[in-house]
Amino acid sequence: MTAATWDVRRFTTVPSTNDWLLERAREGAPAGVVAVADHQSAGRGRMGRRWEAPPGRCLLVSVLLRPVAPVAELFTCTAAVALATSDACRLLAGVQPGVKWPNDLVIGDEKVAGVLAESDGAAPGGRPGSVAVVVGVGCNLDWQPPGATSLAAHAKAPVGRDELLEAMLGGLAERAALLDTGAGRRATLAELRGRCATLGRIVRVETAAGGAVTGVARELDGDGRLVVATAAGDVAVAAGDVAHLRPAASQAVQAAHGPDG
Ligand code: BTN
């Protein structure tokens, strides 16, 4: 996929760019359709939460991907979009957000963007590329909800919504093409590991199943799960919310990673 293949649809207001694009995906829209809105009246976040932002103060965008990939590896779509968004922030705001597992972008420990990936639910095992993955990003331009940050708080000059979108889609074109091969997906995962702000931290994870896990965030496994070293051994978490408690003492990290780190 090249940057020229993005088909960008613009909205003044829409309930949710993810919802709009999921509908188009169910109708058979091809990879590369992008929905961007000034405002969402029913924007959605992870784990059933709302995503709210005043008009024009947040990049609100969703992209449709149709990778030729096993279902277990579709999480790399989210990673590709998170990494491309982080790169665009570095390019335009001069600050490179890290990826807080599973897919928040953070500057220090403050969230600047959230990523929500959803599938059209097409049966796994269909023809290659038949599964649609809609990945939505909300990135705070000069909107700073409580406890979060914005690009404006870190950049020397204001960052425009459209220039951020262009930079993000430019980088994502190459990254999306990588998702069609095992080697490309492994490279994406390796990059995600390198830019993951959660690894090496002492964390408390509220799991999607309703439990809690506390320990050292040790690894992202091949399925994108966060492996937490706890007093009772390693626990791999597939979905949840993470609180970064503090950096792990170097000895504890070494013990968790082994002597070679
Ligand atoms: C999160 O951090 O919980 C994820 C937030 C994702 C928000 C974006 S805004 C564009 C797209 N449309 C939505 O309804 N949600 C995503």
Side-chain angles (χ1 to χ4, degrees):
M1 177 181 284
T2 67
T5 64
W6 297 118
D7 173 5
V8 180
R9 314 290 181 92
R10 295 173 186 278
F11 299 89
T12 306
T13 187
V14 71
S16 153
T17 54
N18 263 38
D19 288 348
W20 184 86
L21 206 44
L22 280 167
E23 276 303 308
R24 302 293 81 73
R26 291 189 192 102
E27 294 165 3
V33 181
V34 175
V36 59
D38 297 343
H39 182 244
Q40 298 180 125
S41 54
R44 294 187 295 104
R46 290 177 53 247
M47 305 189 51
R49 289 187 283 255
R50 300 279 311 251
W51 180 270
E52 309 207 24
R57 300 188 59 190
C58 195
L59 169 64
L60 305 167
V61 62
S62 301
V63 300
L64 173 55
L65 304 175
R66 289 187 181 274
V68 182
V71 171
E73 296 177 25
L74 291 179
F75 74 89
T76 52
C77 294
T78 322
V81 172
L83 292 169
T85 306
S86 167
D87 288 343
C89 293
R90 186 198 57 219
L91 202 68
L92 293 166
V95 60
Q96 176 114 57
V99 183
K100 180 182 176 192
W101 186 89
N103 43 32
D104 285 348
L105 293 187
V106 292
I107 301 174
D109 261 341
E110 292 179 317
K111 180 167 174 168
V112 70
V115 182
L116 174 67
E118 299 175 291
S119 164
D120 67 347
R127 69 186 158 73
S130 62
V131 177
V133 182
V134 170
V135 188
V137 180
C139 182
N140 299 333
L141 298 171
D142 62 355
W143 160 244
Q144 222 164 305
T149 191
S150 67
L151 291 181
H154 297 273
K156 290 196 175 69
V159 175
R161 195 267 310 265
D162 287 344
E163 54 181 349
L164 187 66
L165 175 65
E166 192 182 341
M168 190 269 255
L169 293 179
L172 185 59
E174 215 171 287
R175 293 185 178 281
L178 287 178
L179 302 176
D180 287 340
T181 67
R185 291 189 296 277
R186 282 191 292 280
T188 302
L189 175 57
E191 201 174 347
L192 180 67
R193 285 177 175 137
R195 286 161 60 178
C196 181
T198 301
L199 294 179
R201 301 291 298 258
I202 296 176
V203 295
R204 176 181 166 85
V205 189
E206 309 280 345
T207 69
V213 177
T214 301
V216 178
R218 196 172 77 71
E219 175 62 306
L220 295 180
D221 72 11
D223 293 334
R225 295 179 304 179
L226 183 68
V227 179
V228 182
T230 75
D234 282 358
V235 178
V237 184
D241 276 331
V242 168
H244 289 168
L245 300 183
R246 55 188 183 277
S250 59
Q251 275 180 336
V253 176
Q254 204 176 52
H257 281 267
D260 299 326

mmCIF file of all heavy atoms in Angstrom, residues 88-118:
data_model
loop_
_atom_site.group_PDB
_atom_site.id
_atom_site.type_symbol
_atom_site.label_atom_id
_atom_site.label_comp_id
_atom_site.label_asym_id
_atom_site.label_seq_id
_atom_site.Cartn_x
_atom_site.Cartn_y
_atom_site.Cartn_z
ATOM 1 N N ALA A 88 4.720 10.474 13.714
ATOM 2 C CA ALA A 88 4.184 11.749 13.227
ATOM 3 C C ALA A 88 4.305 12.820 14.316
ATOM 4 O O ALA A 88 4.603 13.980 14.031
ATOM 5 C CB ALA A 88 2.733 11.578 12.789
ATOM 6 N N CYS A 89 4.092 12.429 15.570
ATOM 7 C CA CYS A 89 4.244 13.375 16.690
ATOM 8 C C CYS A 89 5.697 13.846 16.790
ATOM 9 O O CYS A 89 5.968 15.040 17.004
ATOM 10 C CB CYS A 89 3.841 12.727 18.014
ATOM 11 S SG CYS A 89 2.097 12.336 18.128
ATOM 12 N N ARG A 90 6.624 12.901 16.601
ATOM 13 C CA ARG A 90 8.050 13.294 16.677
ATOM 14 C C ARG A 90 8.387 14.289 15.570
ATOM 15 O O ARG A 90 9.038 15.303 15.791
ATOM 16 C CB ARG A 90 8.941 12.048 16.562
ATOM 17 C CG ARG A 90 10.431 12.364 16.780
ATOM 18 C CD ARG A 90 11.340 11.281 16.269
ATOM 19 N NE ARG A 90 11.080 11.047 14.859
ATOM 20 C CZ ARG A 90 11.064 9.852 14.277
ATOM 21 N NH1 ARG A 90 11.283 8.768 14.971
ATOM 22 N NH2 ARG A 90 10.818 9.737 12.985
ATOM 23 N N LEU A 91 7.878 13.976 14.372
ATOM 24 C CA LEU A 91 8.165 14.818 13.208
ATOM 25 C C LEU A 91 7.640 16.238 13.395
ATOM 26 O O LEU A 91 8.326 17.217 13.090
ATOM 27 C CB LEU A 91 7.488 14.172 11.991
ATOM 28 C CG LEU A 91 8.013 14.518 10.619
ATOM 29 C CD1 LEU A 91 9.409 13.929 10.437
ATOM 30 C CD2 LEU A 91 7.071 13.931 9.552
ATOM 31 N N LEU A 92 6.424 16.359 13.915
ATOM 32 C CA LEU A 92 5.763 17.666 13.928
ATOM 33 C C LEU A 92 5.836 18.385 15.271
ATOM 34 O O LEU A 92 5.800 19.616 15.317
ATOM 35 C CB LEU A 92 4.297 17.502 13.512
ATOM 36 C CG LEU A 92 4.171 17.081 12.047
ATOM 37 C CD1 LEU A 92 2.782 16.587 11.743
ATOM 38 C CD2 LEU A 92 4.534 18.224 11.129
ATOM 39 N N ALA A 93 5.909 17.614 16.347
ATOM 40 C CA ALA A 93 5.921 18.255 17.668
ATOM 41 C C ALA A 93 7.293 18.140 18.330
ATOM 42 O O ALA A 93 7.526 18.741 19.374
ATOM 43 C CB ALA A 93 4.856 17.636 18.570
ATOM 44 N N GLY A 94 8.184 17.329 17.717
ATOM 45 C CA GLY A 94 9.523 17.180 18.281
ATOM 46 C C GLY A 94 9.551 16.339 19.538
ATOM 47 O O GLY A 94 10.515 16.365 20.297
ATOM 48 N N VAL A 95 8.500 15.564 19.761
ATOM 49 C CA VAL A 95 8.469 14.690 20.935
ATOM 50 C C VAL A 95 7.931 13.333 20.494
ATOM 51 O O VAL A 95 6.967 13.256 19.727
ATOM 52 C CB VAL A 95 7.603 15.308 22.065
ATOM 53 C CG1 VAL A 95 6.159 15.538 21.632
ATOM 54 C CG2 VAL A 95 7.614 14.455 23.325
ATOM 55 N N GLN A 96 8.637 12.282 20.924
ATOM 56 C CA GLN A 96 8.241 10.937 20.493
ATOM 57 C C GLN A 96 7.516 10.221 21.635
ATOM 58 O O GLN A 96 8.136 9.784 22.602
ATOM 59 C CB GLN A 96 9.475 10.119 20.120
ATOM 60 C CG GLN A 96 9.156 8.669 19.757
ATOM 61 C CD GLN A 96 9.430 8.360 18.317
ATOM 62 O OE1 GLN A 96 10.546 8.543 17.840
ATOM 63 N NE2 GLN A 96 8.436 7.883 17.606
ATOM 64 N N PRO A 97 6.188 10.084 21.544
ATOM 65 C CA PRO A 97 5.484 9.357 22.603
ATOM 66 C C PRO A 97 5.883 7.878 22.622
ATOM 67 O O PRO A 97 6.163 7.288 21.579
ATOM 68 C CB PRO A 97 4.005 9.500 22.203
ATOM 69 C CG PRO A 97 3.957 10.656 21.258
ATOM 70 C CD PRO A 97 5.269 10.637 20.542
ATOM 71 N N GLY A 98 5.906 7.301 23.808
ATOM 72 C CA GLY A 98 6.088 5.857 23.934
ATOM 73 C C GLY A 98 4.720 5.183 23.869
ATOM 74 O O GLY A 98 3.677 5.844 23.939
ATOM 75 N N VAL A 99 4.741 3.858 23.723
ATOM 76 C CA VAL A 99 3.485 3.099 23.672
ATOM 77 C C VAL A 99 3.282 2.435 25.032
ATOM 78 O O VAL A 99 4.067 1.584 25.442
ATOM 79 C CB VAL A 99 3.504 2.029 22.565
ATOM 80 C CG1 VAL A 99 2.156 1.312 22.509
ATOM 81 C CG2 VAL A 99 3.829 2.657 21.214
ATOM 82 N N LYS A 100 2.243 2.876 25.714
ATOM 83 C CA LYS A 100 1.883 2.233 26.981
ATOM 84 C C LYS A 100 0.946 1.089 26.638
ATOM 85 O O LYS A 100 -0.077 1.307 25.964
ATOM 86 C CB LYS A 100 1.186 3.257 27.889
ATOM 87 C CG LYS A 100 0.770 2.691 29.223
ATOM 88 C CD LYS A 100 0.041 3.759 30.024
ATOM 89 C CE LYS A 100 -0.473 3.171 31.341
ATOM 90 N NZ LYS A 100 -1.415 4.067 31.991
ATOM 91 N N TRP A 101 1.315 -0.117 27.090
ATOM 92 C CA TRP A 101 0.508 -1.283 26.725
ATOM 93 C C TRP A 101 -0.930 -1.119 27.222
ATOM 94 O O TRP A 101 -1.112 -0.628 28.317
ATOM 95 C CB TRP A 101 1.136 -2.547 27.337
ATOM 96 C CG TRP A 101 0.462 -3.798 26.896
ATOM 97 C CD1 TRP A 101 0.765 -4.557 25.794
ATOM 98 C CD2 TRP A 101 -0.632 -4.443 27.542
ATOM 99 N NE1 TRP A 101 -0.097 -5.613 25.710
ATOM 100 C CE2 TRP A 101 -0.967 -5.574 26.764
ATOM 101 C CE3 TRP A 101 -1.397 -4.177 28.679
ATOM 102 C CZ2 TRP A 101 -2.011 -6.439 27.105
ATOM 103 C CZ3 TRP A 101 -2.433 -5.026 29.011
ATOM 104 C CH2 TRP A 101 -2.719 -6.140 28.233
ATOM 105 N N PRO A 102 -1.958 -1.477 26.433
ATOM 106 C CA PRO A 102 -1.789 -2.105 25.127
ATOM 107 C C PRO A 102 -1.599 -1.108 23.993
ATOM 108 O O PRO A 102 -0.875 -1.419 23.051
ATOM 109 C CB PRO A 102 -3.103 -2.874 24.947
ATOM 110 C CG PRO A 102 -4.108 -2.109 25.751
ATOM 111 C CD PRO A 102 -3.361 -1.536 26.918
ATOM 112 N N ASN A 103 -2.196 0.071 24.049
ATOM 113 C CA ASN A 103 -2.033 0.943 22.883
ATOM 114 C C ASN A 103 -2.348 2.405 23.146
ATOM 115 O O ASN A 103 -2.915 3.075 22.302
ATOM 116 C CB ASN A 103 -2.862 0.418 21.684
ATOM 117 C CG ASN A 103 -4.232 -0.029 22.122
ATOM 118 O OD1 ASN A 103 -4.773 0.539 23.056
ATOM 119 N ND2 ASN A 103 -4.777 -1.027 21.489
ATOM 120 N N ASP A 104 -1.921 2.896 24.311
ATOM 121 C CA ASP A 104 -1.963 4.344 24.535
ATOM 122 C C ASP A 104 -0.621 4.924 24.099
ATOM 123 O O ASP A 104 0.423 4.273 24.234
ATOM 124 C CB ASP A 104 -2.126 4.674 26.023
ATOM 125 C CG ASP A 104 -3.539 4.442 26.526
ATOM 126 O OD1 ASP A 104 -4.444 4.248 25.695
ATOM 127 O OD2 ASP A 104 -3.720 4.459 27.757
ATOM 128 N N LEU A 105 -0.641 6.162 23.629
ATOM 129 C CA LEU A 105 0.622 6.875 23.422
ATOM 130 C C LEU A 105 0.808 7.816 24.601
ATOM 131 O O LEU A 105 -0.119 8.572 24.957
ATOM 132 C CB LEU A 105 0.594 7.670 22.116
ATOM 133 C CG LEU A 105 0.550 6.842 20.828
ATOM 134 C CD1 LEU A 105 0.691 7.760 19.620
ATOM 135 C CD2 LEU A 105 1.635 5.783 20.803
ATOM 136 N N VAL A 106 1.994 7.779 25.194
ATOM 137 C CA VAL A 106 2.254 8.579 26.387
ATOM 138 C C VAL A 106 3.517 9.401 26.230
ATOM 139 O O VAL A 106 4.479 8.981 25.590
ATOM 140 C CB VAL A 106 2.373 7.699 27.661
ATOM 141 C CG1 VAL A 106 1.036 7.066 28.020
ATOM 142 C CG2 VAL A 106 3.446 6.627 27.525
ATOM 143 N N ILE A 107 3.465 10.587 26.826
ATOM 144 C CA ILE A 107 4.656 11.428 26.942
ATOM 145 C C ILE A 107 4.940 11.483 28.429
ATOM 146 O O ILE A 107 4.105 11.962 29.206
ATOM 147 C CB ILE A 107 4.412 12.833 26.354
ATOM 148 C CG1 ILE A 107 4.025 12.718 24.858
ATOM 149 C CG2 ILE A 107 5.652 13.701 26.528
ATOM 150 C CD1 ILE A 107 3.619 14.033 24.201
ATOM 151 N N GLY A 108 6.094 10.946 28.830
ATOM 152 C CA GLY A 108 6.289 10.682 30.255
ATOM 153 C C GLY A 108 5.239 9.644 30.634
ATOM 154 O O GLY A 108 5.129 8.611 29.995
ATOM 155 N N ASP A 109 4.461 9.960 31.647
ATOM 156 C CA ASP A 109 3.394 9.018 32.021
ATOM 157 C C ASP A 109 2.022 9.562 31.666
ATOM 158 O O ASP A 109 1.005 9.040 32.120
ATOM 159 C CB ASP A 109 3.478 8.670 33.517
ATOM 160 C CG ASP A 109 4.181 7.325 33.734
ATOM 161 O OD1 ASP A 109 4.255 6.535 32.775
ATOM 162 O OD2 ASP A 109 4.675 7.093 34.852
ATOM 163 N N GLU A 110 1.994 10.625 30.857
ATOM 164 C CA GLU A 110 0.698 11.233 30.527
ATOM 165 C C GLU A 110 0.245 10.815 29.132
ATOM 166 O O GLU A 110 1.022 10.866 28.168
ATOM 167 C CB GLU A 110 0.796 12.754 30.615
ATOM 168 C CG GLU A 110 0.999 13.241 32.041
ATOM 169 C CD GLU A 110 1.119 14.764 32.102
ATOM 170 O OE1 GLU A 110 1.803 15.341 31.245
ATOM 171 O OE2 GLU A 110 0.522 15.354 33.016
ATOM 172 N N LYS A 111 -1.029 10.482 29.026
ATOM 173 C CA LYS A 111 -1.571 10.008 27.751
ATOM 174 C C LYS A 111 -1.779 11.187 26.797
ATOM 175 O O LYS A 111 -2.395 12.201 27.155
ATOM 176 C CB LYS A 111 -2.911 9.322 28.037
ATOM 177 C CG LYS A 111 -3.618 8.778 26.818
ATOM 178 C CD LYS A 111 -4.756 7.862 27.267
ATOM 179 C CE LYS A 111 -5.619 7.381 26.142
ATOM 180 N NZ LYS A 111 -6.525 6.300 26.527
ATOM 181 N N VAL A 112 -1.285 11.022 25.561
ATOM 182 C CA VAL A 112 -1.523 12.045 24.542
ATOM 183 C C VAL A 112 -2.445 11.514 23.448
ATOM 184 O O VAL A 112 -3.097 12.288 22.751
ATOM 185 C CB VAL A 112 -0.186 12.573 23.961
ATOM 186 C CG1 VAL A 112 0.508 11.517 23.089
ATOM 187 C CG2 VAL A 112 -0.397 13.839 23.148
ATOM 188 N N ALA A 113 -2.527 10.174 23.316
ATOM 189 C CA ALA A 113 -3.389 9.597 22.279
ATOM 190 C C ALA A 113 -3.828 8.206 22.706
ATOM 191 O O ALA A 113 -3.133 7.525 23.465
ATOM 192 C CB ALA A 113 -2.639 9.512 20.948
ATOM 193 N N GLY A 114 -5.006 7.820 22.214
ATOM 194 C CA GLY A 114 -5.508 6.472 22.455
ATOM 195 C C GLY A 114 -5.825 5.815 21.125
ATOM 196 O O GLY A 114 -6.156 6.497 20.148
ATOM 197 N N VAL A 115 -5.709 4.504 21.084
ATOM 198 C CA VAL A 115 -5.940 3.741 19.855
ATOM 199 C C VAL A 115 -6.975 2.660 20.152
ATOM 200 O O VAL A 115 -6.894 1.972 21.171
ATOM 201 C CB VAL A 115 -4.619 3.101 19.356
ATOM 202 C CG1 VAL A 115 -4.853 2.341 18.052
ATOM 203 C CG2 VAL A 115 -3.536 4.154 19.165
ATOM 204 N N LEU A 116 -7.957 2.570 19.268
ATOM 205 C CA LEU A 116 -9.017 1.562 19.432
ATOM 206 C C LEU A 116 -9.127 0.768 18.130
ATOM 207 O O LEU A 116 -9.489 1.317 17.093
ATOM 208 C CB LEU A 116 -10.352 2.251 19.725
ATOM 209 C CG LEU A 116 -11.586 1.350 19.781
ATOM 210 C CD1 LEU A 116 -11.508 0.401 20.988
ATOM 211 C CD2 LEU A 116 -12.869 2.184 19.856
ATOM 212 N N ALA A 117 -8.796 -0.526 18.198
ATOM 213 C CA ALA A 117 -8.869 -1.381 17.007
ATOM 214 C C ALA A 117 -10.057 -2.317 17.131
ATOM 215 O O ALA A 117 -10.299 -2.892 18.203
ATOM 216 C CB ALA A 117 -7.583 -2.193 16.868
ATOM 217 N N GLU A 118 -10.799 -2.446 16.052
ATOM 218 C CA GLU A 118 -11.973 -3.317 16.047
ATOM 219 C C GLU A 118 -12.028 -4.049 14.720
ATOM 220 O O GLU A 118 -11.645 -3.513 13.681
ATOM 221 C CB GLU A 118 -13.245 -2.488 16.229
ATOM 222 C CG GLU A 118 -13.255 -1.745 17.561
ATOM 223 C CD GLU A 118 -14.439 -0.825 17.713
ATOM 224 O OE1 GLU A 118 -14.496 0.194 16.996
ATOM 225 O OE2 GLU A 118 -15.306 -1.117 18.538
#
